[in-house]
Amino acid sequence: MLVPLQGHYSFWLGRLSMQWVPYDNPIIVGAFVFACSVGLAIVAGITRLGWWGYLWREWVTSLDHKKIGLMYMIMGAIMLFRGFVDAVMIRAQQAMAAGPHTAGFLDASHGYLPPFHFDQVYGSHGTIMILFAVTPMLIGMMNIIVPLQVGARDMAYPFLNSIGLYLTAVGAALVMLSLFLGEFSHAGWVGLTPLSELAYSPGVGVDYWLWALQISGIGTTIGSINIVATIVKMRAPGMTWGKLPIFSWTSLSMSTIGITAFPILTVVVSLLTLDRYVGTHFFTAGLGGDLMLYKNLFWMWGHPEVYFLILLPFGVVSEVIANFSHKQLFGFTTMVLATFAIAGVSWSVWLHHFFVMGQGPGVNTYFGIATMLVGIPTGVKLFNWIFTMCRGRLHFDPPMLWATGTLFLLPIGGLSGVILAMVPADYEMHNSVFVIAHFHNMVMVTVFAEFAAITYWFPKVFGFKLDPTIGKKVFWSWVVAAALVFIPMYGLGLMGMTRRLSYISRPELQPFLYVQEAGMFMFCVAAFYQFKQFYMSIRDRAKGVHLIGDGEVWSGERSVEWVAHSPVPFYNFAVTPYIHQRDEWAWRRAEGHVRAKPERYVDIEMPKNTAIPFLMAGATFVFGFAMVWRIWWLGAVSFAGIVALLVLRSFIDDTEYTVPAADVEKHEQQFFRHRDAHSPDLRPIEQAGRGVYL
Amino acid sequence: MAFDQTATPRLFEERTPDLIGNRTFGFWLYMLSDVIIYAALFAAFSVLHTHYAGGPTSQQVVEPLHGFIDSVLLFSSVWLLGLGMRSMAVGERAMLIAFMGLAAIVALGFVGFESYDFAHALGKGESPQRSGYLSIYFVLLGLHALHIFVGILWMLLMMVQVAFKGLTEPVVSRLLNLKIFWMFQSVIWVCVFVFVYLLGAVG
Ligand code: HEM
Ligand SMILES: [Cu+2]
């Protein structure tokens, strides 16, 4: 049944052999040394501080939605850094390799990356940024905020929540491993067929890509199911649909896309896997395979996926702008409708990614018009935000800076999208870097909104603010960097530079590439400020807390999540709040209920911590590894392990524990004492002795 | 629990979560994602169903009569599980286990008969590697059979749990989900039967 393979194969180790260890490549060896030193430093630090037990009990095995959300964010940030390093390498290569007379270093005839290596960097940059950096950060944000915003104590399925996190982490770990053992896909983040078929990619690179996508895709589907269930089933008493805050609405639409689109990724990845492992003919270039079937299926997932990336940022921007304008969000209902209109239309536009397929004017026109229609609800949103700001009391704290930044990015990126949606124009511009400029422009909206969200909700989670002065420096260096990198890219695209080039034959393009290189330098500056902001704010955290004492962080917060204390205790709400208004917190503030306390406390049921998701992640990682290297026995063993853990879990009933009302009261009193003394206790309230079950 | 509402408006109110309702809802969402998986495969089928690449055509491959026998087996299994659910509703654990066991055996017959068909086709050289059509044929049917197989394992697990744990809330929620799963697989089978077997036989 299995396909014949090139090269060495053994029963115990599959395709694995020393030949796959890139010890002769100085760049990879350097990365390896770097990764090992950082890893060792972290391990040594944790051992020194004696944190292993704490990390295991309170983080690794935790089912607390806030901690899981934070772990998602941290993983996303690490991968963002990795993706950024890839970007630096890509930009440097292109700047160095423009024109026949440019010098070559290492093994390259121009620049320093030979084409095969360059293509891998390119493929991993896209894959990592979209699936392992931006997506986990969005899911982490939802994880933290949605339960708070609907007034719940946790997600609908805390156990599945943890599984979702770990599946995504396993995907990311596989991508990272491919750097040091074997190779990564050279077929782009979209896995171009038939290049990604075994005949043209005989190595393990595409297999790494496939299994990373497969495993993390399942994680994202699970995460989306959880969010939808949380919003539908866990809303606090009084919270009718009309009172659901906008961020939760956008989470709902985004997760609906997640549930309906990610299964298609599962299918398309599985079929390509079968082609490569079993020798079927789904997307092969012969024997009845159909290359365009791959493109259609991929973009049926891929297009909804890119809207998956933008809908939640719309929610963030809405929350932040309303907050810092001290006004209600303008046109709330139209905002919600526009969100769902975008989600709905995202289903019927996928074909704009390959107008050049040649399906004829009728089909192309339909998809072109459908694509342009997306501009209408997006415009509605833009005007709603502008009207929210109109005559508001504007405060340009860092979250607001990021949010207003998106108001500039959005029309530019949207209009370039509409240009691409015109079929004759797209025939010229398809596969040029104009497309890259368009979508980076759009993804910048997502990233800006993520920064807005991080700075906005940081005090909610930790109880102190990030330093605003450094925050402004981060913002402005990002703006300059993004402008320098992406504006020339539009120009380069119009001048005919195509995508994925490791060598640029026209020297006259080099000045533009140099400008982009300057932008990359600015990104490094921004990264530096970002690190500095975290470091300084955590070090001087006492400085950032002064406002929290009055239950006010930004002085304009509106939604339900602010009803909980900052920092949020592990049970979120001592007693579930009853919701009267969409902007519940603004209403409570106006009515003078900010300091209201419940009359009595009740026992709270909370999920116990568990080691099962982590162990399952271990087994899944081994499984993915075994499948990449085709070590069948190991694959079978690890798969059996996954199933055994699932069955085991179904026999454990004792998954919750009770926090007695007296304990809740004690915690609350402690919080009030600190609040009244204006010295909030910044240690997270944790429940001792709740135990970890297997 | 309600708090004093005369002095201030009701600001806090505790409520009890609905475990079974929550889990069933989530399972429906999972089923939705499964629908999408099948939908994508049927879309691939609609593209590839004539891609014989010089190999056997659908008329030569499919046996509608066998498909019909499969259908009878699968629907019987659904019916038996339905009877089991009725026993559950009245709390008859022994009957529930017995019906589930029967449903599992009949479903095993389904999987066995389909595997026999697969083996027969492979023996004739009609393998998934032969053409695009045969690839999607095997994958579509194989995925459905895999679901049925997982369902059988699930039933075995539930028989054990009903026997040892009784009809506790988590067990009942799993049984309800199993029922949804089983009904749903039979609905998918109707599509498989129509598109792969009946239309395949017509060509
Ligand atoms: C008004 C809204 C938008 C329109 C009209 C639009 C239109 C298009 C079109 C026509 C293409 C295909 C160009 C080609 O390959 O020839 C494209 C590519 C792309 N767009 Fe958009 N788009 C819009 C919004 C977005 C958003 C919000 C995102 C993501 C956050 C996004 C991300 C992408 C990506 C990632 C690609 C290309 C992927 C690739 O080929 O690697 N777009 N867009
Ligand atoms: Cu698109």
Side-chain angles (χ1 to χ4, degrees), chain A residues 608-639:
Chain A
K608 275 188 187 168
N609 289 358
T610 165
I612 292 180
F614 183 72
L615 296 179
M616 272 177 68
T620 314
F621 180 76
V622 175
F623 177 72
F625 179 82
M627 295 314 280
V628 167
W629 294 98
R630 308 188 192 215
I631 313 172
W632 307 124
W633 67 268
L634 188 59
V637 170
S638 47
F639 191 76

Side-chain angles (χ1 to χ4, degrees), chain A residues 299 302-303 306-307 349-350 352-353:
Chain A
W299 286 111
H303 186 84
V306 303
Y307 281 28
V349 299
W350 78 88
H352 65 215
H353 292 275

Side-chain angles (χ1 to χ4, degrees), chain A residues 418-485:
Chain A
V418 174
I419 293 175
L420 290 170
M422 296 183 233
V423 182
D426 187 64
Y427 263 64
E428 293 301 323
M429 284 184 284
H430 180 61
N431 259 345
S432 76
V433 295
F434 190 89
V435 176
I436 314 269
H438 154 68
F439 75 73
H440 278 84
N441 200 159
M442 279 305 194
V443 177
M444 278 301 133
V445 175
T446 307
V447 177
F448 272 43
E450 277 173 352
F451 279 105
I454 291 172
T455 41
Y456 180 57
W457 278 307
F458 192 91
K460 177 81 249 163
V461 178
F462 293 102
F464 61 96
K465 282 188 194 176
L466 290 170
D467 188 312
T469 322
I470 313 180
K472 287 180 184 162
K473 290 184 188 158
V474 180
F475 172 76
W476 287 111
S477 37
W478 258 88
V479 169
V480 174
L484 286 175
V485 173

Side-chain angles (χ1 to χ4, degrees), chain A residues 246-583:
Chain A
I246 188 73
F247 180 82
S248 294
W249 273 111
T250 53
S251 301
L252 185 65
S253 68
M254 165 182 177
S255 305
T256 312
I257 291 187
I259 298 177
T260 49
F262 273 80
I264 307 186
L265 177 70
T266 306
V267 168
V268 67
V269 162
S270 306
L271 297 187
L272 185 56
T273 307
L274 286 171
D275 273 5
R276 289 181 58 88
Y277 282 68
V278 193
T280 52
H281 293 283
F282 288 105
F283 314 126
T284 53
L287 282 172
D290 193 322
L291 316 179
M292 292 321 288
L293 177 61
Y294 177 85
K295 280 224 155 197
N296 274 283
L297 286 176
F298 185 89
W299 286 111
M300 272 183 203
W301 162 73
H303 186 84
E305 155 70 12
V306 303
Y307 281 28
F308 180 85
L309 296 182
I310 202 80
L311 287 171
L312 195 67
F314 287 165
V316 175
V317 173
S318 306
E319 295 277 353
V320 169
I321 288 191
N323 180 351
F324 290 94
S325 309
H326 294 87
K327 271 179 67 189
Q328 207 176 335
L329 185 66
F330 183 89
F332 187 90
T333 316
T334 53
M335 211 62 149
V336 172
L337 289 177
T339 305
F340 280 85
I342 295 176
V345 177
S346 82
W347 267 105
S348 53
V349 299
W350 78 88
L351 202 132
H352 65 215
H353 292 275
F354 42 93
F355 281 139
V356 293
M357 177 166 95
Q359 57 276 39
V363 175
N364 275 356
T365 308
Y366 168 81
F367 280 95
I369 292 175
T371 306
M372 290 181 214
L373 286 181
V374 179
I376 298 173
T378 315
V380 168
K381 283 180 168 282
L382 195 63
F383 283 111
N384 278 343
W385 290 322
I386 294 172
F387 283 126
T388 307
M389 289 170 72
C390 181
R391 295 176 192 224
R393 265 189 295 131
L394 303 185
H395 289 254
F396 284 95
D397 294 276
M400 183 64 164
L401 283 179
W402 291 108
T404 33
T406 64
L407 302 189
F408 291 88
L409 291 169
L410 199 60
I412 309 176
L415 287 178
S416 64
V418 174
I419 293 175
L420 290 170
M422 296 183 233
V423 182
D426 187 64
Y427 263 64
E428 293 301 323
M429 284 184 284
H430 180 61
N431 259 345
S432 76
V433 295
F434 190 89
V435 176
I436 314 269
H438 154 68
F439 75 73
H440 278 84
N441 200 159
M442 279 305 194
V443 177
M444 278 301 133
V445 175
T446 307
V447 177
F448 272 43
E450 277 173 352
F451 279 105
I454 291 172
T455 41
Y456 180 57
W457 278 307
F458 192 91
K460 177 81 249 163
V461 178
F462 293 102
F464 61 96
K465 282 188 194 176
L466 290 170
D467 188 312
T469 322
I470 313 180
K472 287 180 184 162
K473 290 184 188 158
V474 180
F475 172 76
W476 287 111
S477 37
W478 258 88
V479 169
V480 174
L484 286 175
V485 173
F486 298 114
I487 293 175
M489 207 180 255
Y490 278 119
L492 284 169
L494 292 176
M495 290 158 76
M497 179 174 158
T498 50
R499 301 172 70 164
R500 306 191 170 96
L501 292 181
S502 62
Y503 166 68
I504 293 126
S505 57
R506 292 157 60 193
E508 71 270 21
L509 299 183
Q510 200 164 31
F512 292 85
L513 296 167
Y514 280 152
V515 175
Q516 291 192 311
E517 199 55 30
M520 289 315 282
F521 175 74
M522 279 311 289
F523 269 127
C524 294
V525 173
F528 165 75
Y529 279 132
Q530 186 59 68
F531 281 120
K532 186 172 166 192
Q533 188 194 25
F534 278 122
Y535 177 75
M536 301 289 274
S537 314
I538 294 172
R539 198 191 61 183
D540 306 334
R541 54 188 171 283
K543 244 175 43 192
V545 299
H546 56 287
L547 280 173
I548 289 174
D550 296 320
E552 297 264 342
V553 180
W554 299 109
S555 80
E557 313 87 76
R558 317 185 66 81
S559 307
V560 186
E561 75 270 23
W562 301 98
V563 174
H565 307 320
S566 314
V568 188
F570 68 92
Y571 46 75
N572 291 1
F573 302 96
V575 180
T576 304
Y578 185 90
I579 308 300
H580 307 79
Q581 291 286 322
R582 181 184 301 144
D583 289 342

Side-chain angles (χ1 to χ4, degrees), chain A residues 1 153 157 233 235 260 263 278-279 281 287-288 290 576-578 580 588 596 599-600 602 650-651 653, chain B residues 1 4 10-15 22 26 33 36-37 47-48 51 53 129-132 135 139 161 165 174:
Chain A
M1 283 296 274
R153 293 222 170 81
Y157 319 112
K233 298 298 262 185
R235 293 197 315 283
T260 49
V278 193
H281 293 283
L287 282 172
D290 193 322
T576 304
Y578 185 90
H580 307 79
R588 287 191 180 207
E599 295 192 344
R600 60 201 140 93
V602 289
S650 78
F651 277 94
D653 279 336
Chain B
M1 163 182 337
D4 180 14
R10 184 160 53 137
L11 290 176
F12 302 98
E13 184 176 296
E14 204 50 61
R15 42 90 212 255
N22 276 7
S33 74
I36 306 280
I37 288 194
V47 171
L48 296 174
H51 290 205
Q129 292 91 342
R130 179 60 193 86
S131 69
S135 300
V139 166
Q161 294 202 342
K165 295 180 165 202
R174 282 175 207 137

Side-chain angles (χ1 to χ4, degrees), chain A residues 49-70:
Chain A
L49 294 165
W51 278 3
W52 287 112
Y54 166 74
L55 281 180
W56 172 258
R57 282 190 311 274
E58 293 294 345
W59 289 87
V60 176
T61 59
S62 177
L63 296 190
D64 182 331
H65 71 98
K66 300 173 290 295
K67 289 185 175 163
I68 291 179
L70 273 174

Side-chain angles (χ1 to χ4, degrees), chain B residues 11-203:
Chain B
L11 290 176
F12 302 98
E13 184 176 296
E14 204 50 61
R15 42 90 212 255
T16 35
D18 161 21
L19 179 97
I20 293 188
N22 276 7
R23 291 201 181 173
T24 313
F25 180 74
F27 198 76
W28 275 110
L29 293 177
Y30 159 69
M31 291 282 55
L32 172 62
S33 74
D34 216 25
V35 169
I36 306 280
I37 288 194
Y38 279 115
L41 281 177
F42 275 109
F45 182 79
S46 75
V47 171
L48 296 174
H49 75 287
T50 50
H51 290 205
Y52 304 130
T57 63
S58 61
Q59 281 107 319
Q60 292 164 308
V61 174
V62 296
E63 303 257 14
L65 186 61
H66 290 191
F68 179 71
I69 297 173
D70 280 335
S71 313
V72 172
L73 287 170
L74 193 59
F75 286 115
S76 314
S77 174
V78 172
W79 178 65
L80 285 165
L81 190 73
L83 291 179
M85 289 297 129
R86 248 186 36 181
S87 316
M88 180 188 83
V90 292
E92 287 177 5
R93 277 159 67 182
M95 291 301 280
L96 168 59
I97 295 178
F99 277 126
M100 254 198 298
L102 284 176
I105 292 172
V106 175
L108 204 60
F110 171 91
V111 176
F113 193 58
E114 229 178 13
S115 322
Y116 165 79
D117 264 1
F118 277 5
H120 187 67
L122 288 176
K124 284 196 296 182
E126 294 167 356
S127 73
Q129 292 91 342
R130 179 60 193 86
S131 69
Y133 164 67
L134 280 167
S135 300
I136 190 69
Y137 170 84
F138 272 93
V139 166
L140 194 49
L141 262 61
L143 183 75
H144 184 266
L146 187 70
H147 274 89
I148 299 297
F149 185 67
V150 170
I152 293 171
L153 294 182
W154 191 354
M155 282 185 206
L156 295 182
L157 185 69
M158 291 325 294
M159 283 158 73
V160 175
Q161 294 202 342
V162 171
F164 287 96
K165 295 180 165 202
L167 295 173
T168 63
E169 243 191 354
V171 171
V172 170
S173 82
R174 282 175 207 137
L175 285 168
L176 292 175
N177 290 348
L178 174 64
K179 183 188 73 179
I180 300 173
F181 181 79
W182 216 230
M183 300 263 183
F184 172 75
Q185 297 310 330
S186 66
V187 172
I188 295 293
W189 176 259
V190 174
C191 301
V192 174
F193 185 59
V194 170
F195 287 103
V196 180
Y197 284 90
L198 293 185
L199 292 180
V202 179

